[in-house]
Amino acid sequence: MNRVVIIGGGPAGYEAALVAAQLGADVTVVEAEGPGGACVLHDCVPSKTFIASSDVVTAYRDTEQFGVRSGGLEAVTVDAKAVHRRVKTLAAAQSSDIGTKLIKAGVNLVTGHARLGKDTLGHTHRVEVSPRDGDSQYSIDADAVLIATGATPRVLPTAAPDGDRILDWRQVYDLSELPEHLIVVGSGVTGAEFASAYLAMGVAVTLVSSRERVMPHEDPDAARAIERVFSERGMTILGRSRAAAAKRTADGVVVELADGRTVTGSHVLMAVGSVPNTDGLGLAEYGVNVGDGGFLTVDRVSRTNVPGVYAAGDCTGVLPLASVAAMQGRIAMWHALGEAVAPLKLNTVSANVFTDPELASVGATQKDVDSGKVPARTVMLPLAGNARAKMMGLRDGFVKLFCRPATGQVIGGVVVAPKASELILPITMAVENRLTVDELAHTITIYPSVSGSIAEAARQLMLHEIS
């Protein structure tokens, strides 16, 4: 029987464990905090649960246009303790469910830490396990090892989180009240999501962005649309403004910008990226290549440079998405245990930013097209022209499609809309299955529906092809 040790129990780790157990391996998962890892306990699950509460508040916006006199946002109050309690309860429940699933699958789940031990002769890898419950350290000789230790919030030395006024995104759920004025430093995905959620909950928000626009790595049309919504709803956005330091004051915080300006608020949320959890694992001593920034270098089947040692998830820096981490982990086990496996394909991975409205994308990007890297024809349809969107009072957002100039094959798309995370699926399926705009256009959609704009965009591209 093959013996597998997985260090880290997040999406990469637990999904890999389920695959390995299904294939008959003896599997041990060593996780420091709990099943699901930081993704479930501190990051993705808690943040999306928090955002779900903000979505409830958003439903009270502009209800008068529908003939509903709700009192508007002014009549809504948010109980921060109740919101945070729900966040932590759901995270704990999800962790418990994952633990139950692993145990039922026959996985040996160890709470504690692990690291690669001394190199062993033959084809096994020695892993040193240190249980958290006080049991003595022991070693396991494994046929395959998966490093799936994730990442943690990056800390600026001049703005170290204190859990009270200067916060990272894992500490916000410990506040007893919502901030009066939240300064969010960092306008990437995490910063934009929290800025959007707090704004919806009635908090004054200042977003400090070092770049010209928010979410600089996302589709420029989409990022501009969401930035416009932020501004219209009262968010203060400081573009081209790099934060140099954050300090506590008598009753709040002051953020010092690199150009000498200062911004004052009640709290500051530092959302300046993540660093991989690759220290203390014995990687260098074992000969595993560690790349720039501490990320592990892997190929498309999750192999490191050491045969039998794999890595998956945020510690690899491939693409920081739970869905990608999970697939990297599965691929690692399929490969390690001799199953047929297709290498990881990033050009069919869909991603979503959980702002209001949401931003979802897949495949080719506007940057690829504008640079000439990917020849494509493009169409962008504003939601304002969609019948269902009109009924729902949706004015912001659009559907964009990219297709190959000659064949009409769908190669990418962007959706900005409420629940864009759901609407991107048909475009992702079209990209994955190499459908053409003709095939997408001939698909009968519900009328009226927001998803109808996807087929309409395909019809317009088909017409362009004919003309």
Side-chain angles (χ1 to χ4, degrees):
M1 178 183 290
N2 289 300
R3 199 164 199 186
V4 174
V5 174
I6 298 170
I7 306 176
Y14 74 74
E15 288 290 347
L18 292 172
V19 166
Q22 184 182 43
L23 294 175
D26 177 354
V27 187
T28 297
V29 173
V30 184
E31 162 58 40
E33 298 190 75
C39 174
V40 169
L41 292 169
H42 306 299
D43 297 338
C44 185
V45 170
S47 66
K48 304 313 175 276
T49 305
F50 183 79
I51 290 167
S53 289
S54 74
D55 289 341
V56 174
V57 180
T58 301
Y60 286 87
R61 181 183 298 277
D62 302 327
T63 59
E64 286 75 12
Q65 66 175 309
F66 298 95
V68 178
R69 294 179 176 83
S70 65
L73 294 176
E74 294 77 13
V76 178
T77 58
V78 178
D79 183 339
K81 288 183 178 179
V83 171
H84 296 159
R85 184 166 55 249
R86 181 173 187 268
V87 165
K88 293 178 180 179
T89 299
L90 285 177
Q94 180 69 3
S95 176
S96 178
D97 288 347
I98 293 168
T100 300
K101 185 182 292 188
L102 289 171
I103 292 170
K104 283 185 176 180
V107 174
N108 178 30
L109 188 56
V110 179
T111 302
H113 294 85
R115 56 174 285 137
L116 293 173
K118 293 181 179 180
D119 197 2
T120 55
L121 296 176
H123 299 286
T124 61
H125 302 280
R126 182 156 294 167
V127 179
E128 303 292 344
V129 180
S130 301
R132 193 175 67 185
D133 58 12
D135 288 351
S136 58
Q137 179 177 303
Y138 61 94
S139 62
I140 301 174
D141 288 342
D143 299 285
V145 177
L146 175 67
I147 309 295
T149 48
T152 53
R154 179 169 168 252
V155 174
L156 296 181
T158 54
D162 60 13
D164 184 24
R165 294 286 181 172
I166 304 174
L167 310 163
D168 66 34
W169 62 80
R170 296 180 178 178
Q171 298 171 328
V172 296
Y173 314 113
D174 293 325
L175 297 178
S176 59
E177 297 180 349
L178 292 178
E180 292 182 16
H181 179 184
L182 180 66
I183 304 168
V184 179
V185 175
S187 64
V189 171
T190 301
E193 287 183 346
F194 276 105
S196 176
Y198 277 106
L199 182 71
M201 289 183 175
V203 174
V205 175
T206 297
L207 182 60
V208 179
S209 173
S210 62
R211 308 292 282 274
E212 184 176 355
R213 58 177 169 81
V214 302
M215 295 181 288
H217 300 298
E218 302 297 327
D219 179 88
D221 292 317
R224 281 191 289 267
I226 291 175
E227 185 171 331
R228 183 172 61 252
V229 172
F230 284 176
S231 296
E232 289 175 353
R233 293 180 181 175
M235 186 185 298
T236 300
I237 301 174
L238 302 180
R240 296 177 179 265
S241 302
R242 186 175 296 277
K247 298 177 181 177
R248 292 191 58 153
T249 62
D251 56 354
V253 293
V254 58
V255 174
E256 300 173 358
L257 304 183
D259 60 8
R261 291 177 295 160
T262 59
V263 185
T264 58
S266 64
H267 299 75
V268 59
L269 171 60
M270 302 301 298
V272 289
S274 300
V275 293
N277 299 323
T278 52
D279 289 338
L281 298 176
L283 299 172
E285 298 90 330
Y286 207 77
V288 178
N289 284 343
V290 180
D292 294 339
F295 293 102
L296 297 184
T297 304
V298 294
D299 63 12
R300 291 175 62 202
V301 290
S302 305
R303 291 180 296 190
T304 69
N305 63 301
V306 176
V309 178
Y310 296 77
D314 288 3
C315 66
T316 68
V318 171
L319 194 59
L321 296 173
S323 56
V324 172
M327 184 55 72
Q328 283 182 288
R330 296 186 198 106
I331 287 173
M333 292 300 100
W334 285 325
H335 186 274
L337 299 174
E339 291 292 302
V341 59
L344 181 69
K345 293 191 300 180
L346 295 180
N347 64 338
T348 60
V349 173
S350 55
N352 191 71
V353 184
F354 290 84
T355 48
D356 179 38
E358 294 180 0
L359 187 172
S361 59
V362 64
T365 67
Q366 189 69 56
K367 182 179 179 181
D368 292 336
V369 175
D370 292 343
S371 67
K373 178 181 176 182
V374 176
R377 290 185 290 115
T378 308
V379 69
M380 187 170 81
L381 293 184
L383 286 188
N386 177 284
R388 183 70 185 279
K390 291 177 183 177
M391 298 170 192
M392 298 169 66
L394 304 179
R395 298 182 300 275
D396 305 296
F398 60 81
V399 169
K400 180 191 289 190
L401 282 184
F402 303 104
C403 75
R404 295 203 180 279
T407 64
Q409 179 186 330
V410 180
I411 58 173
V414 181
V415 179
V416 175
K419 307 303 179 187
S421 50
E422 312 294 340
L423 292 168
I424 198 66
L425 178 60
I427 303 177
T428 303
M429 294 179 70
V431 174
E432 176 71 35
N433 294 285
R434 301 183 178 183
L435 301 183
T436 65
V437 291
D438 301 58
E439 291 169 319
L440 198 54
H442 283 93
T443 302
I444 299 175
T445 60
I446 299 294
Y447 181 86
S449 67
V450 178
S451 60
S453 285
I454 297 172
E456 175 61 26
R459 283 191 288 274
Q460 292 204 13
L461 284 172
M462 185 177 67
L463 291 173
H464 292 167
E465 185 178 84
I466 294 171
S467 61

